[in-house]
Amino acid sequence: MTEEKSLNFIEEIIEEDLKNGKYTSILTRFPPEPNGYLHIGHAKSICLNFGLGLKYGGKTNLRFDDTNPTKEETEYVDSIKEDVQWLGFNWAHELYASDYFDQLYNYAVTLIKKELAYIDDSTAEEIATMKGSPTQPGIASPYRSRSVEENLRLFAEMKDGKYRDGEKVLRAKVDMAAPNMHMRDPIIYRIKHAHHHRTGDAWCIYPMYDFAHGQSDSIEKITHSICTLEFIPHRELYDWLIEKLEIFPSKQYEFARLNMNYTVMSKRKLLQLVEEKHVSSWDDPRMPTISGMRRRGYTAESIRNFCDRIGVAKRENLIDLGLLEFCVREDLNKKAMRVMAVLDPVKLVITNFPDNESEQLTVENGPDESMGSRTVPLSKEVWIEREDFMEVPAKKYFRLYPGNMVRLKSAYIVQCTGCTKDAEGNITEIQCTYIPESRSSSDTSNINVKATIHWVSAAHAANAEIRLYDRLFKVENPADEDGDFKDYINEDSLQTIPAYVEPSLKNAAVGANYQFLRKGYFCLDKDSTADRLIFNRTVTLKDAWAKEIKKG
Ligand code: ATP
Ligand code: MG
C-alpha cells in the first residue's frame, strides 16, 4: 500500500476549485526575471508550479518577467531555459512580459479613461513623503485631479520620449488613506530611456512589477498565480487592477520562500560573488545555483526530491543544507558507478607479484547487477591511501600494518611485510605479499580479513585533479549578520588536490556521477581536457559536519 501524502494548502485550493467547477483545468506559470541564474529557491518554485500542472492535468507557462530593461540579459534567459529543462519540466508556452507592452499600455489608457490613473510630475522624494506612513494617511498629489484629456496627452508624450527619466510617472488612483501602503496611488509606469534585451529602443516607458505581473497572468489566463510571501501586501492591488480592468480573474497565492543555511539566495548577492570573483562563475560548484549544483554532480531527481520533502509552507524557515545533501546521497547511492581513486597516495609494492606483468580483474560497477562490470588492471605496484597503513596500529585498526592482512578490493588478500621511510621518518613505500588463491572471483584461501581497501595500479593510473568543496559561508545565515554578507565567506571552501584514478576514468563523460569507493561521490568537471581530468566532489559519503557538531 502506498502512503497517501496529505495535500498542501495550494493543492487543497485547487481541488476545491476543480470540484466546485470554478475551473475545468488549471494553468500555472513560473515567472523568473532574467537578471541572474536560477538558484535552489527557484527550483522550489519550479517544482511547485510545474508539479501542480502535472498533478492536475493542467499546464504551466514559462514567463520571463522582463519589464526592467537595465538588468536583463539574453544569457540569463538561455540559462533559465536550460535549468528548467534539466530539472525535468516542459513548459506549455515560452512567454515574455515584454510581448505584452502594447497590451499593458492599452490597459493603462483604459485606467486613465476610467479616471483611475493620472500622470504625476512630483519627484520620487515628494511622492514618498506624500505617501504618509503606516500610521498616518497620505496626502493627495497636486496632480491627482488632472483631467482625462490631459492625462492621455501626457501619457502619450511620455511614450513618445518627450520627457527625461523620472520627470513624470503614471499612478493608479486608488486611496491615499488606505491602510495598505501599496494601495496609496502606486506608480504603475515610469520613464526609463534604456535598451531592452527584446524590444530594443521601442519603448522608453516601462510598467512597474505590479502593473505587469497580474496583467500578464490575466492575459495568459493563469488560474493559480503562486508567489512567495513577500507579495502578500501586493495581493490587494493585484485584485484591484484585475477588477477595474475587467480582465480574466487570475488569483494570487503565497507560500514561504526556501531559505537554506550557509549560503545566500538572492540573485543580487550571487551576482556580487561572481563579479567580485569570490567564485569562478555562476555555475561554480559552490554556488546554490541550479547550474552550480548540476556542475557539482547533484542530480535533477535529488533536487526534485528535496523540494518535495521540504513541502509547501506558509511560514518562513531556514532549511538545513544537510537535507539537500542527504537527498543527493540517497539518489547517487542508487545510480553512481563505483570506481577506485586514491586521493592521498602512498605506494604499496606486492613483492611476490611478477615484474612487468598485469592482470585484469573484474569489478562490479555498482550495488545493482544491472549496472554491469568492467575490468581493472592490477600490477606489482599499486597506490593506496596513506591512512590505510599504520606502522604501529592503533586500537581497533584493521587495515594494513606489519603482519596484518587486508583485501585489495575485487583483487587479492595481501599481507603487509614492512615499510620504507625517508630521513625524516615519512613512509615512502609499503611492502606486502599477495595470496594467489584469494582472488575475489575465485577465492579458495579460507582466510577472513577484517578490512578491504581500494587501490589503483601505479603503472596504469590516470592523474587527476580533485576539487573538494565545502560550505561557501562560515555562518548559517550570512545575509542576517552584521555588516557585509561577504565578510562571512569561508575562504577554505575550495581545496584542490592531485590524485590517481583507475584508467577507466579516462573515458568519463562530463557530469557522469561516480562513487569513488570509500571517498565520496564525484563527477567529471567541464574544465577537463583529454590529458587533464578534473573531478568535483559532489558530496562526501557521510556528513562530516554532523560528526563535528557531535564532537562539539
Ligand atoms: P531573488 O530575490 O533571488 O532575485 P526573485 O524573487 O527576485 O529572487 P524572480 O526571478 O522574480 O526572483 O523569481 C521567479 C519566481 O521564483 C518567483 O515566483 C519567486 O517568487 C520564486 N522564488 C524566488 N526565490 C525563491 C525562493 N527562495 N523560494 C521559493 N521561490 C522563490
Ligand atoms: Mg523578483
Side-chain angles (χ1 to χ4, degrees), residues 263-274 276 278 472-475 477-490:
T263 192
V264 290
M265 207 92 98
S266 98
K267 282 179 283 188
R268 193 174 49 80
K269 292 198 174 73
L270 296 174
L271 178 64
Q272 280 183 55
L273 295 178
V274 176
E276 296 171 25
H278 297 286
L472 194 47
F473 288 91
K474 291 180 288 200
V475 296
N477 203 345
D480 266 11
E481 296 283 340
D482 290 340
D484 189 346
F485 76 98
K486 287 175 279 149
D487 296 343
Y488 302 92
I489 289 177
N490 173 11

Side-chain angles (χ1 to χ4, degrees), residues 242-416:
I242 284 179
E243 185 202 315
K244 299 301 176 199
L245 291 167
E246 300 175 69
I247 53 180
F248 183 84
S250 300
K251 284 280 171 199
Q252 174 182 303
Y253 301 95
E254 309 87 8
F255 73 103
R257 62 193 296 118
L258 164 63
N259 300 305
M260 218 164 50
N261 59 4
Y262 300 103
T263 192
V264 290
M265 207 92 98
S266 98
K267 282 179 283 188
R268 193 174 49 80
K269 292 198 174 73
L270 296 174
L271 178 64
Q272 280 183 55
L273 295 178
V274 176
E275 285 185 335
E276 296 171 25
K277 304 208 182 327
H278 297 286
V279 294
S280 62
S281 53
W282 280 98
D283 70 349
D284 186 301
R286 291 167 292 179
M287 291 279 270
T289 51
I290 296 176
S291 50
M293 292 180 174
R294 172 168 66 236
R295 181 166 172 192
R296 182 161 171 164
Y298 286 19
T299 58
E301 182 165 7
S302 60
I303 294 176
R304 291 197 305 264
N305 283 342
F306 169 72
C307 291
D308 200 39
R309 268 200 178 99
I310 56 179
V312 182
K314 278 196 197 178
R315 204 170 315 148
E316 297 260 352
N317 57 0
L318 192 61
I319 303 286
D320 190 354
L321 177 62
L323 178 62
L324 176 57
E325 295 190 337
F326 170 84
C327 294
V328 173
R329 273 187 205 104
E330 182 185 55
D331 192 37
L332 291 181
N333 182 42
K334 284 184 269 174
K335 292 179 181 159
M337 180 164 160
R338 270 56 170 173
V339 296
M340 294 196 280
V342 177
L343 308 192
D344 182 17
V346 62
K347 196 168 270 180
L348 175 71
V349 180
I350 309 169
T351 51
N352 60 338
F353 199 92
D355 289 337
N356 305 320
E357 272 185 35
S358 65
E359 189 180 330
Q360 294 292 333
L361 296 155
T362 301
V363 181
E364 296 294 324
N365 287 339
D368 182 345
E369 263 181 34
S370 70
M371 294 175 75
S373 61
R374 66 190 183 286
T375 57
V376 172
L378 174 70
S379 60
K380 190 180 180 95
E381 297 189 348
V382 299
W383 296 111
I384 63 168
E385 300 286 348
R386 203 163 268 282
E387 63 175 18
D388 285 339
F389 173 78
M390 283 183 97
E391 192 179 11
V392 182
K395 230 170 129 187
K396 292 196 175 163
Y397 186 83
F398 300 118
R399 289 169 273 171
L400 276 181
Y401 54 85
N404 198 38
M405 292 192 204
V406 299
R407 176 174 292 282
L408 296 182
K409 172 72 183 168
S410 300
Y412 296 94
I413 291 173
V414 295
Q415 181 166 32
C416 181

